[in-house]
Amino acid sequence: MSKITHFEIHDVRFPTSLSGDGTDAMNTECDYSSAYVSLFASGGLVGHGMTFTIGRGNEIVCQTIAELAKRLVGRDPESLFANMGKAWDYMCADPQMRWIGPEKGVVHIAAGAVNNALWDMFARVRGKPLWKLVVDMTPEELVDATAFRYITDAITREEALAMLKAKEAGKKEREATVKELGYPAYVTSAGWLGYTDEKVARLTKEAVAAGFNHFKMKVGADAGNDLRRGKIIRSIIDDPQYLPAGQPPRDPNSPALKGKNAGPTGAVLMIDANQVWDVPQAIEYVKSLEEIKPWFIEEPTAPDDILGHAAIRRALKGTGIGVATGEHAHNRMVFKQLLQAEAIDVCQIDSCRLAGVSEVLSVLLMAAKFGVPVCPHAGGVGLCEYVIHLSLIDYIAVSGTMERNVLEFVDHLHEHFLYPCSINENGRYKVPSNPLEGYSIEMYKESIAEFEWPNGSYWVKAKGGN
């Protein structure tokens, strides 16, 4: 019998604040960071996981990961793999750590890193990418892998099982389809708030040429500047001359684009405020940007304000602009209430703010029941590597659709991972296929050695030069 023997934790930080990457109205200086954990078990087994932060405070997450990982030391991995829902409950059940959550904040995102590492080990042991491990599960196994506590008033285990069984017959066909086409993606890299107009225009043209037709820009610091930047982006994405050679404009009224405020080429623009407004201010501000025809406003107010999001959604109904949130929704109960209150048009999960795959599964199931598309957040180091797996699980096994879904893609820091995500010529994610990659989050040892805080070679050199 194998046992989990020990773990290693690394505080890895990248100096993205120097280039303005990741900047928005709330977060003006972002050093993309990874609180990174590796679980080791006898027999040479290993699983890697991480949680994303933007710099200072990453060390606190690392300390918390250590407290949670201790609960798994001495456990037989196979006994945990047999029921990952119960394993998730056990990992979250330390009463003293739970007290300083519960199921929110630093404790919860640390739990995400540990749960993701356990899932990575599970997938590696079975010789499958994480998404394939999950979609190959029976409906019963998938339900057992899901965190259900506190959400059975929105979806019961029995309802989830019936939904999964109803989708089971088409799984092989959907898997073949997405392998052929790729998973739809949108690009945020052109729209960071700290970029100059010239850089926004250049990056937008590059994104159109790469095949993307969904684009997101950050807003919220100054309405006039936002309108100007939005018009720059619209002038490019709505102009057929910038489309890749031989690619005709998409039909704005097609099923995949209907209701998305698509322009004449079928291009879609989204805006993201990163929580900066009160509710009345959000409504007024977003209406002032109606001219650039966004599909949705993301994070218009505090991420925990369910009724505030619902009020904003009602007020914007006449504009054709929807509401999206979820990047900072810290657990499945917040998503449950957002869905029950009809507060969102788009559900945006985060792969490690939620406490790992088991909790993500619960949100995917609820969103499918309520008929709300899931478009995961991926604007940070490692998140793109993670979330393609989650979107594939959603499409193949849970919702059965990717027609209206788009998955965020940010072209940052992929070179630090052994199994980086990639985009095909049509602006869609390629399907991870390496049987060794698990959850695709293993980082190069050289990258850890260079960027570990505070004694990695990059940071030692940076401190020497002030």
Side-chain angles (χ1 to χ4, degrees), residues 415-432:
E415 67 274 14
H416 298 290
F417 294 91
L418 273 68
Y419 307 101
C421 68
S422 58
I423 299 290
N424 67 21
E425 67 277 4
N426 296 314
R428 299 167 79 103
Y429 273 86
K430 295 178 183 177
V431 173

Side-chain angles (χ1 to χ4, degrees), residues 11-236:
D11 178 347
V12 185
R13 308 186 192 186
F14 300 95
T16 49
S17 60
L18 297 178
S19 57
D21 296 346
T23 50
D24 56 57
M26 181 67 76
N27 306 294
T28 54
E29 292 184 358
C30 304
D31 283 326
Y32 279 0
S33 301
S34 169
Y36 186 85
V37 59
S38 299
L39 296 176
F40 297 89
S42 50
L45 306 184
V46 63
H48 306 284
M50 59 152 277
T51 277
F52 167 67
T53 79
I54 59 170
R56 194 170 63 254
N58 203 51
E59 71 278 11
I60 302 171
V61 184
C62 289
Q63 291 168 12
T64 310
I65 287 171
E67 291 301 316
L68 296 172
K70 287 175 186 176
R71 287 183 67 77
L72 300 183
V73 173
R75 296 295 301 264
D76 172 18
E78 287 295 338
S79 71
L80 299 171
F81 302 158
N83 189 314
M84 288 292 278
K86 284 186 178 178
W88 189 89
D89 288 339
Y90 172 76
M91 183 193 67
C92 293
D94 180 327
Q96 294 185 355
M97 295 305 294
R98 180 179 169 77
W99 183 264
I100 58 173
E103 296 190 41
K104 61 176 70 73
V106 171
V107 174
H108 209 56
I109 63 174
V114 179
N115 185 247
N116 287 338
L118 189 61
W119 274 99
D120 182 62
M121 182 186 287
F122 188 5
R124 286 165 177 262
V125 168
R126 297 295 186 263
K128 297 179 179 182
L130 186 279
W131 70 266
K132 181 64 171 165
L133 171 78
V134 177
V135 303
D136 284 351
M137 288 179 170
T138 66
E140 291 81 3
E141 288 170 333
L142 206 155
V143 166
D144 282 345
T146 301
F148 272 98
R149 191 178 196 181
Y150 303 139
I151 64 167
T152 53
D153 54 325
I155 186 169
T156 64
R157 294 174 65 91
E158 292 73 24
E159 285 178 301
L161 188 59
M163 287 168 53
L164 294 168
K165 285 184 173 179
K167 291 290 187 290
E168 194 170 21
K171 284 200 300 188
K172 287 186 178 179
E173 182 181 348
R174 289 191 293 275
E175 183 175 328
T177 296
V178 75
K179 283 180 175 177
E180 179 185 355
L181 298 178
Y183 194 91
Y186 74 85
V187 64
T188 303
S189 300
W192 299 121
L193 208 58
Y195 288 175
T196 64
D197 289 357
E198 290 76 19
K199 188 171 184 178
V200 168
R202 174 176 60 81
L203 292 175
T204 302
K205 289 174 185 176
E206 291 175 1
V208 174
F212 289 98
N213 80 308
H214 285 65
F215 308 83
K216 190 169 80 179
M217 61 174 277
K218 300 292 186 174
V219 299
D222 180 274
N225 286 341
D226 291 342
L227 188 60
R228 186 191 71 255
R229 291 166 56 247
K231 286 180 177 179
I232 291 170
I233 293 174
R234 268 291 178 200
S235 72
I236 296 166

Side-chain angles (χ1 to χ4, degrees), residues 79 96 151 167 217 291 304 354 358 386 414 430 455 465:
S79 71
Q96 294 185 355
I151 64 167
K167 291 290 187 290
M217 61 174 277
E291 182 182 350
D304 304 337
L354 290 173
S358 292
Y386 266 152
H414 303 297
K430 295 178 183 177
N455 295 317

Side-chain angles (χ1 to χ4, degrees), residues 261 283 286-287 290 293-294 311-323 345:
N261 269 337
I283 295 165
V286 174
K287 285 183 175 179
E290 191 174 350
K293 295 175 64 178
I312 293 166
R313 184 172 183 249
R314 287 193 301 271
L316 295 178
K317 277 289 187 185
T319 68
I321 303 169
V323 171
D345 298 275

Side-chain angles (χ1 to χ4, degrees), residues 290-306:
E290 191 174 350
E291 182 182 350
I292 59 174
K293 295 175 64 178
W295 170 25
F296 61 65
I297 173 63
E298 178 179 340
E299 286 200 314
T301 192
D304 304 337
D305 188 355
I306 287 90

